Amino acid sequence: MELSVQIHLFTAFLSFIKVYAQVVLPVKHPGLQVLATASHYWPLDAVDGIHELWDQIGNRPGYVNGSNINIVEGMVNKGIFLNGDNGGTFLHFGKYQNSCISDPSWCGPEGITFSFFWKNYESESRFAVASGGKVISNGFSVYINHFGGYVEFYTRANSHRWKANIKVPGPYWTHILFTWTVKDGLKVFINGTFTIADTDGSVSDNYGDPYPDLVIGTGNDRAYGHYVTGAFDEFVIWERALPPREISLYYDAATGQAMVSATTPKVSEEVTSTAPTVRSTEVSPPVVSSQHKEDQSSQGPESLPVLGFLTVLPNKTIPYNTANNLTQAFLKSVEEVLSSPVLPEQSIPVVSGLIETVDRVMEHMVTNLEPSPNALISLGGQSFIADYSLMKFPQNYNLQHYRFPKLGKSYISVPGEAFTMQSQTTIVGLFYHNMHNYYKEISPVKTRINEASDFKDHKIQVASYLISLKVEPSPALSVNLSGAPLIKIVLTHILSKEQQEQVLNQSNKVFLYCAFLDYSSNEGVWSNEGCVRSDGNLTYSVCLCNHLTNFAILMQVVPLKLTTGHRVALSTIGYVGCSISIICLAITLVTFAVLSSVSTIRNQRYHIHANLSFAILVAEILLLISARFEPGTLPCKVMAVLLHFFFLSAFAWMLVEGLHLYSMVVKVFGSEGSKHFYYYGIGWGSPLVICVVSMTSALNSYGEVDNCWLSLTNGAIWAFVAPALFVIVVNIGILISVTRIISRISGESYKVHGDANAVKLTVKAVAVLLPILGISWIFGVLAVNTHSLPFLYIFAVFNSLQGFFVFLFHCLLNSEVRAAFKHKTKVWSLTSSSIRNINVKPFNSDIMNGNKEGVTPTKMNTWDKSTNSANRIDLSAV
């Protein structure tokens, strides 16, 4: 592979030298090379014989069904307009039985790519392109409806469907390209840019009709009967999944961006050369001797032979126009090398060597640029590879300050005092457009950044454009980074969506390094020696350096981990707290069951307490048991589903506790019976619905990664987090409302009766209500990283002991439960003594409420002593 790259570079440099000899060679757009690798290509621009569609690559003929068509101005040349509103008009590209086109299950690991330009004139449910059948079947379809646009892939073999939602194209040319592989699933690119993907797909049992036809403008099912109104152009199929770089190149070529003129421009005749004018078609490939091949094969990819070619370049004065043409031609050659299919995906050594080559050639160019005795010479421009600036200053030129580029948020700045200007000075500036894309995974051990090597298991990525500046003679800079003058580099960060998510995730720590490519050991190695990051945030960085070269911002994302001591402490707190809670909740449930015959314990409030206690009890028992199962196994998956259900049920009953409290204290509504039905629906029904939906859509997200719980990586965790946050927010609002009423009544009671204990009721009520409302779970939201370690411990303590607090406040210290227990004990003692002729006195709470035996008691009124009727509010729930 390295040999192929080197030969390609050698070819490019021969072309460069021939340009130097007087000709700028035409360069074929690399996007057209991508098109040439397609398996099928229908330009859709034939005017003669309009009812025939010819595949320019695969030679598969097709035809136009219907007569309501027109040849229109296409995206590339001409296009076809289909008027589906006036008849059954569509394009038929032939049958593809048992092929990757109609049945993706036939595709190998290379996958498949479909591409076309579409100008849409409707919004009804119509098909743009369909293969292998209508809607859901083997193959694919692109269609629109009132809700949006969609791209779908189907495989009958494993009953699978991949679906992606896209923006509905309007009445303007829109490029739609989608790729599919078994490994990566469906990826959709709109106008050359990645838009959306469905990597996993979903199971689908509806196959539709397995037609092998490939059509544009309608569904494959003969009974479909709907036809698209719109224009189409450039329908292409690759029987492989194009990488994003080739997709971008093809889109640029198809839309005419950065196209190279077919006419070979001649260089100024000021260059003296005896070489004849050479046409691009006459350029033959270089002859490489066997000895040369052996030399190349013995070299690694880090030591490219390109730098040796620089000795071939003539060391003589270059006129301005010639230098301009040479620079453009050279950068075109570099572009061709980067777009070459022989360039490996992981080509960091090759690209680093290529960057050094570009630097050397540009230095050679500015050094030999024809000088002007009393004025500066400036040569600048743009190319696909980089923006560039070559400047030559005469001796004693008054240069106050230099910045490259002059505009933009990313630049290099050299203070004026750093320039000696005692001799002729040259400056080369390069702002690379795409080189950063090749540095996706840099091993920290292969850098000279000591801080990065501390986290050797976490790769480094380039997070900005590469920028280069070379000054000869070198500027006088401070050796000490705290001194002056220094080079100032400002670079804006360029982060992908995945990188942005990593940066915003507070469980990660982000390291940003001001780095440069160090070629001191004959290979490009990233180093931060002589540079310091002085300012910036997650969107930009400001660097100060005492030397010049190629600069970029490197980013390393390191997940934060708790120390072993903290992990052991938190685990111990969890196990001990859960064990205590399990025992306490079991006692609570037994107590409520034994006292259920007592009138005050038989009411709805204690039914809710019992259901909440049962949900928490089962959830914590399952939590302790789940640690024994291996992630990825069936028992672990079952345990994850049960944990999801019972923890959701616990939150649902916490919500019921809040709603019941609100109905008792703030706003009385409904009868006991009607609320009883709704409460059970919320407490057990809503968690069941959420779990069923979650299992149906993402069953593989249960118990697959590190523990028997929901996956944290694909968003499945929100099936628990979202309902939990909803309950917490609602209960906080209810708690605030109840607390305000209790505070008001407590204050008024204190004024009327002078009872100092009444003021304490507010604090006491809040402490009693917190365990059953689940407000302490808010600490789990705050405990997102080690910077909030105290919240992590608070969360572990309060939530592992939630069952203990429920037992303490609503069983052990509850006056009604204690009175009922005394009453029950008295009944037992009387029964055991066989004194059956003695009538047991009514329960004390019944006497207080004026009730007789067998009569349903009324609710207790805590504030009957108050003479203010506004204060006669039922607070027995508290």
Side-chain angles (χ1 to χ4, degrees), residues 111-115 177-180 236-242:
I112 193 166
T113 301
F114 296 90
S115 166
L177 182 146
F178 48 98
T179 67
W180 181 87
V236 192
I237 301 174
W238 289 266
E239 292 189 7
R240 64 186 179 94
L242 294 183

Side-chain angles (χ1 to χ4, degrees), residues 171-231:
Y172 42 82
W173 285 114
T174 302
H175 181 232
I176 297 178
L177 182 146
F178 48 98
T179 67
W180 181 87
T181 62
V182 175
K183 178 182 178 182
D184 299 327
L186 174 64
K187 294 183 179 180
V188 181
F189 296 77
I190 305 296
N191 293 333
T193 303
F194 173 74
T195 304
I196 193 171
D198 182 2
T199 56
D200 299 324
S202 61
V203 177
S204 175
D205 295 326
N206 184 10
Y207 299 115
D209 303 308
Y211 294 102
D213 304 52
L214 177 62
V215 299
I216 281 184
T218 186
N220 241 318
D221 188 353
R222 275 57 170 174
Y224 181 61
H226 298 291
Y227 303 93
V228 167
T229 297

Side-chain angles (χ1 to χ4, degrees), residues 205-281:
D205 295 326
N206 184 10
Y207 299 115
D209 303 308
Y211 294 102
D213 304 52
L214 177 62
V215 299
I216 281 184
T218 186
N220 241 318
D221 188 353
R222 275 57 170 174
Y224 181 61
H226 298 291
Y227 303 93
V228 167
T229 297
F232 296 89
D233 195 11
E234 298 291 301
F235 186 36
V236 192
I237 301 174
W238 289 266
E239 292 189 7
R240 64 186 179 94
L242 294 183
R245 184 164 60 91
E246 292 190 23
I247 293 172
S248 177
L249 291 172
Y250 168 69
Y251 175 74
D252 290 344
T255 55
Q257 298 183 32
M259 290 292 288
V260 181
S261 173
T263 306
T264 304
K266 291 188 177 181
V267 181
S268 171
E269 294 181 359
E270 295 177 16
V271 179
T272 304
S273 175
T274 58
T277 301
V278 182
R279 296 179 58 87
S280 60
T281 56

Side-chain angles (χ1 to χ4, degrees), residues 573-591:
I573 291 172
Y575 276 107
V576 174
C578 286
S579 300
I580 294 174
S581 290
I582 289 171
I583 296 172
C584 291
L585 288 170
I587 296 173
T588 302
L589 289 172
V590 172
T591 302

Side-chain angles (χ1 to χ4, degrees), residues 105 133 144 356 364-365 592:
S105 61
I144 56 175
E356 184 183 17
H364 178 91
M365 198 71 63
F592 287 164

Side-chain angles (χ1 to χ4, degrees), residues 228-418:
V228 167
T229 297
F232 296 89
D233 195 11
E234 298 291 301
F235 186 36
V236 192
I237 301 174
W238 289 266
E239 292 189 7
R240 64 186 179 94
L242 294 183
R245 184 164 60 91
E246 292 190 23
I247 293 172
S248 177
L249 291 172
Y250 168 69
Y251 175 74
D252 290 344
T255 55
Q257 298 183 32
M259 290 292 288
V260 181
S261 173
T263 306
T264 304
K266 291 188 177 181
V267 181
S268 171
E269 294 181 359
E270 295 177 16
V271 179
T272 304
S273 175
T274 58
T277 301
V278 182
R279 296 179 58 87
S280 60
T281 56
E282 298 170 354
V283 177
S284 57
V287 178
V288 184
S289 66
S290 59
Q291 180 63 41
H292 190 189
K293 287 183 179 180
E294 291 175 4
D295 293 341
Q296 287 180 330
S297 61
S298 63
Q299 295 174 329
E302 296 84 358
S303 56
L304 291 174
V306 177
L307 295 177
F309 299 161
L310 295 176
T311 57
V312 184
L313 294 176
N315 190 18
K316 62 181 180 180
T317 300
I318 308 173
Y320 181 88
N321 291 335
T322 304
N324 186 34
N325 290 334
L326 288 173
T327 302
Q328 288 284 352
F330 169 67
L331 293 176
K332 284 292 182 183
S333 298
V334 175
E335 175 186 344
E336 192 174 47
V337 171
L338 287 176
S339 61
S340 170
V342 300
L343 191 69
E345 289 292 333
Q346 299 297 329
S347 52
I348 291 178
V350 176
V351 173
S352 297
L354 192 58
I355 290 174
E356 184 183 17
T357 300
V358 173
D359 290 345
R360 296 286 186 88
V361 170
M362 300 303 272
E363 290 174 31
H364 178 91
M365 198 71 63
V366 73
T367 301
N368 291 276
L369 187 61
E370 187 175 31
S372 176
N374 300 313
L376 70 90
I377 303 295
S378 177
L379 176 66
Q382 296 179 334
S383 73
F384 178 82
I385 296 298
D387 296 345
Y388 59 91
S389 174
L390 283 67
M391 304 192 75
K392 201 166 195 174
F393 297 90
Q395 185 178 1
N396 298 324
Y397 187 88
N398 185 19
L399 184 59
Q400 298 294 328
H401 174 266
Y402 183 80
R403 166 182 162 151
F404 172 79
K406 293 182 179 180
L407 301 176
K409 296 182 179 180
S410 298
Y411 61 89
I412 294 183
S413 175
V414 184
E417 61 266 29

